[in-house]
Amino acid sequence: LQTMSGNEDDWLALKPQEPSPSQCCGSGCKPCIYDVYEKELAQWERAKAKQDKSLLMEKKEQSNNSELNPDTFTAFNISSVEQLTEDTYQCKFELPGNSSLQLSLGQHIVLRGVVNGLEVQRAYTPISPGNAEGYFEVLMKCYEAGLMSQYIRTWKKGDMVFWRGPFGGFPYRPNKYGEVLMLASGTGLAPMLPILQSITDDEEDETFVTLVGCFRTFDKIYLKSLLQDLARYWNVRIFYVLSQENSLEKLPQSYQGNTYMGRLGEDLMKTIINSCRRKPFVLICGSSAFNEDMSRYLKTAGIEENSCFVF
């Protein structure tokens, strides 16, 4: 009897743990962490019924090949962490050899972190081109009380972190739209960049792009030099809306003509849409409040729902 209960404890120790709500990133991933749990639980139940632990091993082998996988978390090394503003970091992760993540445009990946013994998961969109070789980069914003933020703040070069994916995405095709209007708030810039870069990299793609980046202050604009480079293309315009700046004169000359102060409200939205060269297809990414506001203003400006995509 003694050995039987010991064996029972062994099996209990191997039983997959049900995810807590904090582990679900809420982005509608397929498979969701709960789907993965159901699958692992069924696998555990089969193995236990047959008293055969080798049936649990396939899971372990999968995640060592450094390839992104939607079902299992894979370890990646951090090759650099650069602080962009007091709460935003640009992090670079190594890929083996000259492999690339092969993400489609606007796809996100899910990060797993453990803080004080509690596992959390959050979705992020890499800002590096999907075909970047040997690395990928992610823009990460940290929040004062955020669990994942506490974890990210401890990162240094050489640390190992776990990602799975990819999920979601926006099915962009060259020349499908006459003009794409991108409305991004803060790190909502992330899914816009690979799409914008795929347009500027493709000589055959003649889509016009208007990117509107909403930030609190001039200092809070991320990746300024990359954005300035992109704005030099004949088919790209970039505007900034700064909610907490009060004087355009303080800004560098090159920003004064394409920066608005205050918030992106209904009137400014109409002005921007009227200045578009063609009727735009609109991409939106920001907080849920930002996304709702933008959708409302677009409706008022006569842009139908089927001409918008919210990340």
Side-chain angles (χ1 to χ4, degrees):
L1 196 78
Q2 187 64 47
T3 55
M4 191 60 208
S5 66
N7 188 21
E8 199 65 21
D9 289 346
D10 281 357
W11 278 104
L12 277 178
L14 292 169
K15 186 176 180 178
Q17 280 190 308
E18 183 168 1
S20 65
S22 71
Q23 289 173 262
C24 176
C25 71
S27 301
C29 304
K30 299 253 180 296
C32 168
I33 179 150
Y34 285 103
D35 301 333
V36 175
Y37 164 70
E38 296 295 337
K39 194 170 128 186
E40 289 179 359
L41 185 62
Q43 189 184 6
W44 177 81
E45 282 166 351
R46 275 199 308 276
K48 184 171 184 286
K50 293 186 173 166
Q51 291 289 305
D52 180 359
K53 288 182 187 159
S54 71
L55 294 174
L56 296 173
M57 297 322 282
E58 62 189 77
K59 189 170 99 216
K60 301 284 178 283
E61 290 159 24
Q62 229 177 359
S63 56
N64 293 339
N65 58 4
S66 324
E67 274 186 20
L68 200 58
N69 179 315
D71 298 297
T72 29
F73 280 97
T74 302
F76 293 92
N77 270 325
I78 299 175
S79 50
S80 67
V81 178
E82 187 190 346
Q83 188 164 357
L84 300 182
T85 67
E86 78 267 17
D87 59 2
T88 312
Y89 299 83
Q90 186 173 347
C91 304
K92 196 169 185 177
F93 304 89
E94 279 171 33
L95 288 172
N98 54 0
S99 64
S100 66
L101 272 191
Q102 298 295 344
L103 296 193
S104 336
L105 293 172
Q107 283 193 309
H108 63 266
I109 53 180
V110 173
L111 172 68
R112 178 177 72 191
V114 178
V115 185
N116 310 328
L118 181 67
E119 186 179 299
V120 279
Q121 300 193 16
R122 292 284 176 274
Y124 295 92
T125 307
I127 54 171
S128 42
N131 56 359
E133 296 185 350
Y135 77 96
F136 64 97
E137 279 183 304
V138 183
L139 194 59
M140 314 187 102
K141 185 178 170 76
C142 290
Y143 298 90
E144 209 46 57
L147 278 174
M148 187 61 93
S149 302
Q150 292 174 34
Y151 171 57
I152 292 168
R153 283 201 179 95
T154 66
W155 286 3
K156 51 196 187 307
K157 186 181 167 165
D159 285 353
M160 193 172 272
V161 298
F162 290 85
W163 293 96
R164 74 181 176 101
F167 304 103
F170 169 67
Y172 177 79
R173 288 206 315 277
N175 298 311
K176 183 178 176 182
Y177 311 103
E179 179 146 359
V180 174
L181 170 60
M182 301 176 165
L183 306 175
S185 170
T187 46
L189 193 59
M192 307 299 181
L193 289 172
I195 296 172
L196 181 46
Q197 287 176 294
S198 80
I199 294 171
T200 56
D201 286 349
D202 182 353
E203 300 257 307
E204 306 289 303
D205 194 344
E206 301 192 342
T207 308
F208 287 114
V209 182
T210 298
L211 168 65
V212 183
C214 301
F215 299 91
R216 284 204 295 248
T217 59
F218 181 73
D219 297 338
K220 296 250 188 329
I221 300 175
Y222 314 123
L223 310 170
K224 287 193 187 75
S225 58
L226 171 64
L227 291 171
Q228 291 288 74
D229 287 344
L230 290 167
R232 293 196 180 98
Y233 283 85
W234 65 273
N235 50 342
V236 177
R237 299 184 304 169
I238 299 184
F239 294 113
Y240 301 97
V241 181
L242 305 177
S243 59
Q244 291 173 13
E245 288 285 357
N246 45 24
S247 153
L248 282 180
E249 278 71 71
K250 290 185 194 155
L251 305 186
Q253 193 74 43
S254 58
Y255 284 86
Q256 291 179 15
N258 58 341
T259 301
Y260 297 93
M261 286 178 312
R263 293 195 169 277
L264 177 49
E266 212 169 291
D267 293 343
L268 180 52
M269 182 73 88
K270 282 189 176 143
T271 304
I272 288 170
I273 286 174
N274 290 337
S275 76
C276 287
R277 290 142 289 197
R278 315 224 173 101
K279 190 166 183 174
F281 185 90
V282 190
L283 301 178
I284 307 170
C285 189
S287 65
S288 47
F290 176 84
N291 296 348
E292 281 163 28
D293 287 347
M294 295 308 115
S295 303
R296 208 171 56 247
Y297 303 150
L298 286 166
K299 212 176 202 160
T300 314
I303 303 282
E304 299 85 23
E305 223 164 282
N306 59 5
S307 297
C308 299
F309 180 88
V310 180
F311 283 99

